[in-house]
Amino acid sequence: MCESGALRLGPVALVGAGPGDPELLTLRAVRRLEAADVVLHDSLIPEEVLSLVPKTAKLISVGKRCGDVKDRGIQQKEIHELMLANSRRGCRVVRLKCGDPFIFGRGGEELEFLTAHQVPCEVVPGITSALGAAASCQVPLTHRGFNTNHVHLCVGQSKAKTLPDMDWKELANRAMQQTAVFYMGLKLLNQICATLKEHGAPADTPMMLVESATSPQQQSLHATLGTMPEEVLKQDFGAGGPVLIILGPTACFPAHLESLASPSKKRRTEPSPAVAGAQFLGGELAA
Amino acid sequence: MCESGALRLGPVALVGAGPGDPELLTLRAVRRLEAADVVLHDSLIPEEVLSLVPKTAKLISVGKRCGDVKDRGIQQKEIHELMLANSRRGCRVVRLKCGDPFIFGRGGEELEFLTAHQVPCEVVPGITSALGAAASCQVPLTHRGFNTNHVHLCVGQSKAKTLPDMDWKELANRAMQQTAVFYMGLKLLNQICATLKEHGAPADTPMMLVESATSPQQQSLHATLGTMPEEVLKQDFGAGGPVLIILGPTACFPAHLESLASPSKKRRTEPSPAVAGAQFLGGELAA
């Protein structure tokens, strides 16, 4: 409950909502939402998540899309001011962000602002999209057998909608020995692929795109560094939601698993057992 | 409930338990544990997490330490066989892993094995230690103001207890423009620091160590690439639990926040408000 004329600043929790699937919220995120007086949330936060907030609390959409580099609608400065104003009213504020607050989430800037104003502040981590997509698409980000012991999380475009300042030569050289995940890279996909190839990355490096990872609308597209730009055009991919690019040997994992599972390649004589436990595997958020 | 003489294979869920704090489990992880017949779990999984498993279910410690590169006790092959044997009994199996199954967790190998045996398999992502430590230590992994738009997750040692095969020159060159997180790096800390300096990384690059991230025993140590080896010796750091190394400009964030919060540097005339909401911020897992 907010206190009118509060003498104490209400606490602000910067909470990661995860990649989209409401069941990927952490227990702490749920507790913070249930105890909130005010929730300032990004766009694309699912209704099931927002419904955890008490009816008496105030929900304010601050209009940034998950993983979007642009600030849409209310700008970052206004988000800061809204957090502060509600804290000054003695409210328990949740700033609910897609993914994880500290991976391309501006959590650092919000933490700085709040700290400078003496607002007590907590950060609740969330499943970042790369991990959510990897799990739901069954693509390991590290794998000894595929010689990938190194993961890069990077953005696919900078503020100015150009390729970000990165060591593209290194990314290209190591393309087959690591997993690179580009957030927000679809618009510059062609440039990303061309730049990596110019720097010597093998055209047959596996690449996949994941749209709306972990949501019911999830779609994925599997190709290579060389063929992906064309595939995207063919399939008209990425119109619906945020897209993640995964580049590296394990990006072909789904096809690899399929070949492992195929009885024709395994010389098994026993019949293939029926798939059990659909309910166990396919559960949805309990009401 | 396992079915004796089951005709169908029971499903296996590879579940990330997160970095240690039981409240950082996802809702889906909780549901899988609550529905499990058999749980094969790493060491260092907290008692509060295991207590979510029904009393009638079987808990089997498979003895690997979180983030440990060695296989202790039961080897990986035996874990595979245990998963398969219990699936063949028709049991719902949870393979509960520290952190995230797909980040240095051998989830890929387990998934391959299960798929090759036609076992229905699901992956539930977890908060990986880097994200858990970043949130609990308030160290953003990306930050525009600190010019870090790129995160590396890597191991600090290879199977042979030597430095892993990575592009150390690139890591060194970009030390001040990205965040590198080394899992399992404490034993080779001196070599990591020396190698990065040899390749030209600035000695004053901020570095922090986090031990037992997100657990009640969490400790952190803040220094630089140049001074950390000496600091570790002085403080006898890292005897208790797994240690994560964070290298990059934002590793000094806690000190930076302290300077922002300090009223003496802010010329504020109003009194510093009392910290509110301790209960909101410091909650523990509800029983």
Side-chain angles (χ1 to χ4, degrees):
Chain A
M1 191 78 87
C2 310
E3 305 160 36
S4 68
L7 294 172
R8 302 184 310 173
L9 291 165
V12 177
L14 307 179
V15 175
D21 183 335
E23 273 209 330
L24 297 181
L25 278 179
T26 66
L27 297 176
R28 178 161 299 145
V30 172
R31 288 190 68 195
R32 294 298 174 268
L33 289 170
E34 288 174 346
D37 299 311
V38 175
V39 176
L40 305 172
H41 64 89
D42 287 353
S43 302
L44 296 192
I45 302 275
E47 198 48 51
E48 295 97 313
V49 173
L50 297 178
S51 71
L52 296 167
V53 178
K55 294 267 175 291
T56 50
K58 202 162 148 186
L59 281 178
I60 305 173
S61 169
V62 292
K64 295 171 76 175
R65 262 188 64 174
C66 299
D68 199 341
V69 282
K70 290 201 303 284
D71 296 350
R72 297 191 181 185
I74 299 179
Q75 297 295 308
Q76 190 63 37
K77 190 155 175 285
E78 292 177 69
I79 295 173
H80 289 177
E81 295 300 336
L82 275 170
M83 291 192 291
L84 182 59
N86 282 290
S87 167
R88 285 187 169 156
R89 290 172 55 224
C91 298
R92 296 174 171 198
V93 180
V94 168
R95 168 74 181 101
L96 189 65
K97 304 167 86 69
C98 295
D100 179 86
F102 278 167
I103 300 278
F104 312 124
R106 289 202 163 187
E109 292 167 51
E110 294 177 6
L111 187 55
E112 284 173 323
F113 176 83
L114 294 165
T115 303
H117 290 84
Q118 274 78 36
V119 174
C121 196
E122 175 198 38
V123 183
V124 179
I127 303 286
T128 186
S129 307
L131 299 191
S136 66
C137 297
Q138 303 203 326
V139 173
L141 298 179
T142 68
H143 194 303
R144 293 172 194 227
F146 283 67
N147 196 27
T148 51
N149 67 350
H150 196 167
V151 181
H152 285 246
L153 306 178
C154 30
V155 284
Q157 66 173 69
S158 73
K159 222 169 170 175
K161 293 194 189 171
T162 53
L163 284 186
D165 170 34
M166 286 194 295
D167 190 335
W168 291 91
K169 191 162 167 27
E170 187 271 342
L171 271 175
N173 285 342
R174 313 280 298 180
M176 288 299 280
Q177 289 139 310
Q178 63 190 16
T179 308
V181 185
F182 297 89
Y183 290 62
M184 304 165 273
L186 186 65
K187 282 180 191 158
L188 296 186
L189 178 72
N190 294 358
Q191 274 179 262
I192 291 171
C193 293
T195 306
L196 288 169
K197 280 191 294 178
E198 274 164 31
H199 284 95
D204 61 353
T205 309
M207 181 181 256
M208 69 183 286
L209 304 186
V210 190
E211 180 182 328
S212 303
T214 81
S215 84
Q217 290 76 42
Q218 175 178 301
Q219 289 191 61
S220 60
L221 188 60
H222 298 258
T224 65
L225 182 62
T227 58
M228 188 59 92
E230 198 183 330
E231 285 301 317
V232 169
L233 283 181
K234 266 194 230 160
Q235 315 266 343
D236 193 23
F237 191 88
V243 172
L244 212 64
I245 304 172
I246 302 181
L247 177 74
T250 58
C252 69
F253 216 76
H256 166 62
L257 288 177
E258 218 168 284
S259 76
L260 286 175
S262 161
S264 66
K265 300 195 181 170
K266 293 178 59 5
R267 297 200 196 179
R268 286 169 70 94
T269 49
E270 71 265 49
S272 175
V275 169
Q279 202 190 341
F280 182 65
L281 291 175
E284 283 166 37
L285 183 62
Chain B
M1 190 80 83
C2 311
E3 305 160 36
S4 67
L7 294 172
R8 301 184 310 171
L9 289 166
V12 177
L14 307 179
V15 175
D21 183 335
E23 274 208 330
L24 297 181
L25 279 179
T26 66
L27 296 176
R28 178 161 298 145
V30 171
R31 288 191 68 194
R32 294 300 174 266
L33 289 170
E34 287 174 346
D37 298 311
V38 176
V39 176
L40 305 172
H41 64 88
D42 286 354
S43 300
L44 297 190
I45 302 275
E47 198 47 51
E48 294 96 314
V49 173
L50 298 179
S51 71
L52 296 167
V53 179
K55 292 269 174 290
T56 50
K58 201 160 144 189
L59 279 179
I60 305 174
S61 170
V62 292
K64 296 172 74 176
R65 264 188 63 174
C66 299
D68 200 343
V69 280
K70 291 201 301 289
D71 295 351
R72 298 188 181 187
I74 299 177
Q75 297 294 309
Q76 189 64 37
K77 191 156 174 285
E78 293 178 66
I79 295 173
H80 289 177
E81 295 300 336
L82 274 169
M83 291 192 293
L84 182 58
N86 282 289
S87 167
R88 285 186 170 156
R89 290 173 56 223
C91 298
R92 295 175 172 197
V93 180
V94 169
R95 168 74 181 100
L96 189 65
K97 305 166 86 67
C98 295
D100 179 86
F102 279 167
I103 300 278
F104 313 124
R106 289 199 163 189
E109 293 168 48
E110 295 177 6
L111 187 55
E112 284 172 322
F113 176 85
L114 294 165
T115 303
H117 289 83
Q118 274 79 36
V119 174
C121 196
E122 174 198 40
V123 184
V124 179
I127 303 286
T128 187
S129 307
L131 299 190
S136 65
C137 296
Q138 303 202 327
V139 172
L141 298 178
T142 67
H143 192 305
R144 293 172 194 227
F146 283 67
N147 196 27
T148 52
N149 68 350
H150 194 169
V151 181
H152 285 247
L153 307 178
C154 30
V155 284
Q157 67 174 64
S158 73
K159 224 170 172 175
K161 292 193 189 170
T162 53
L163 283 186
D165 170 34
M166 286 195 296
D167 191 335
W168 291 92
K169 193 163 164 26
E170 186 271 341
L171 271 174
N173 285 343
R174 312 281 298 182
M176 289 297 282
Q177 288 139 312
Q178 64 189 17
T179 308
V181 185
F182 297 90
Y183 289 61
M184 305 165 273
L186 186 66
K187 282 179 192 158
L188 295 185
L189 176 71
N190 294 358
Q191 274 179 263
I192 291 171
C193 293
T195 306
L196 288 168
K197 280 191 295 179
E198 274 163 32
H199 285 95
D204 61 352
T205 310
M207 180 182 258
M208 70 183 286
L209 303 186
V210 191
E211 180 182 330
S212 303
T214 79
S215 84
Q217 291 75 42
Q218 175 177 300
Q219 288 190 61
S220 60
L221 187 61
H222 298 259
T224 65
L225 182 62
T227 58
M228 189 59 92
E230 198 182 331
E231 286 300 318
V232 169
L233 283 180
K234 265 195 230 162
Q235 316 264 345
D236 193 23
F237 191 87
V243 171
L244 212 65
I245 303 171
I246 303 181
L247 178 74
T250 58
C252 70
F253 215 75
H256 166 62
L257 288 176
E258 218 169 285
S259 77
L260 287 175
S262 161
S264 67
K265 300 194 180 170
K266 293 181 62 351
R267 297 200 198 181
R268 287 169 70 92
T269 48
E270 70 265 46
S272 174
V275 169
Q279 204 193 339
F280 181 66
L281 292 174
E284 284 164 37
L285 183 62

